[in-house]
Amino acid sequence: MENKPKREKKYRKKRSSEGHHHHHSSLNSSSVNKAFTIGIILNLIYVAIQIFIGLRINSLSLLSYAGHNFLIVAGLFMAMIAFRFLKSIATSENTYGYKKSSILISLANAIILLLSTGAMGYEAFLRLEDPQSLQIMAS
C-alpha cells in the first residue's frame, strides 16, 4: 500500500457575527402601558355593549361571550401588572425583585378561567332543564 498524503482541510474560524443577524431593541414601558390601557378600555366598552344586549334579549350565548371577552380584559390587566412587577429591582428582602410574580399572575388567570368556565357550564345546564326563548327587540 502506498501512503498517500492526507489532505488537510483548512477550516476558517467563523466569526460570531457571520450568519447571525437580528436586532436588539428595548421595550419602552410607557408605550407598552399605553397600549395595554387602550386595549383594556376598548375591550371593556365592547363587553359592556355585549352584556347590555345579552341581558336585554336574554341570550346566554351572548352573555357567555361577554364573559369570555371580560376574561381577556382581565388577562390584559394582569399582564400589565406582571409587566410592572418584572421591572422591579431587587431589595434585601426580595433578592430577585418581583420577577416570579408573572408566574403567580398566570396561575391566578388560569384559576379565574376555570371558575368562569364552570359557572357558564352550570348556567347552561340549568337552561337545558328550563329552556328560555330569546326576546328579540323590534326595531
Side-chain angles (χ1 to χ4, degrees):
M1 277 201 215
E2 186 178 315
N3 280 340
K4 293 183 181 178
K6 292 182 181 178
R7 289 186 174 172
E8 290 185 27
K9 295 181 181 178
K10 293 185 178 182
Y11 292 103
R12 179 172 66 94
K13 187 175 180 181
K14 195 174 191 180
R15 286 188 228 139
S16 64
S17 62
E18 291 179 3
H20 181 80
H21 302 286
H22 68 271
H23 302 283
H24 295 275
S25 64
S26 61
L27 290 174
N28 183 357
S29 63
S30 65
S31 66
V32 171
N33 285 337
K34 185 176 180 182
F36 272 100
T37 304
I38 290 170
I40 288 170
I41 291 170
L42 291 175
N43 279 305
L44 279 176
I45 292 168
Y46 186 59
V47 166
I49 293 168
Q50 287 177 326
I51 289 173
F52 176 75
I53 295 173
L55 289 173
R56 186 104 177 171
I57 65 172
N58 198 24
S59 172
L60 180 61
S61 62
L62 191 56
L63 289 172
S64 63
Y65 192 63
H68 167 79
N69 286 333
F70 181 74
L71 291 175
I72 291 173
V73 172
L76 282 172
F77 184 70
M78 291 172 148
M80 188 170 68
I81 290 171
F83 184 73
R84 287 185 180 174
F85 280 154
L86 287 175
K87 294 187 309 183
S88 66
I89 57 174
T91 63
S92 61
E93 294 173 1
N94 299 317
T95 56
Y96 291 104
Y98 290 99
K99 307 276 187 228
K100 306 271 181 181
S101 64
S102 62
I103 296 170
L104 294 175
I105 288 175
S106 297
L107 176 65
N109 193 17
I111 290 171
I112 291 169
L113 285 172
L114 288 173
L115 290 174
S116 65
T117 302
M120 285 184 259
Y122 177 73
E123 181 66 27
F125 180 75
L126 291 178
R127 295 240 179 151
L128 283 174
E129 289 181 343
D130 183 27
Q132 299 175 7
S133 63
L134 293 177
Q135 301 167 356
I136 305 299
M137 298 181 298
S139 52

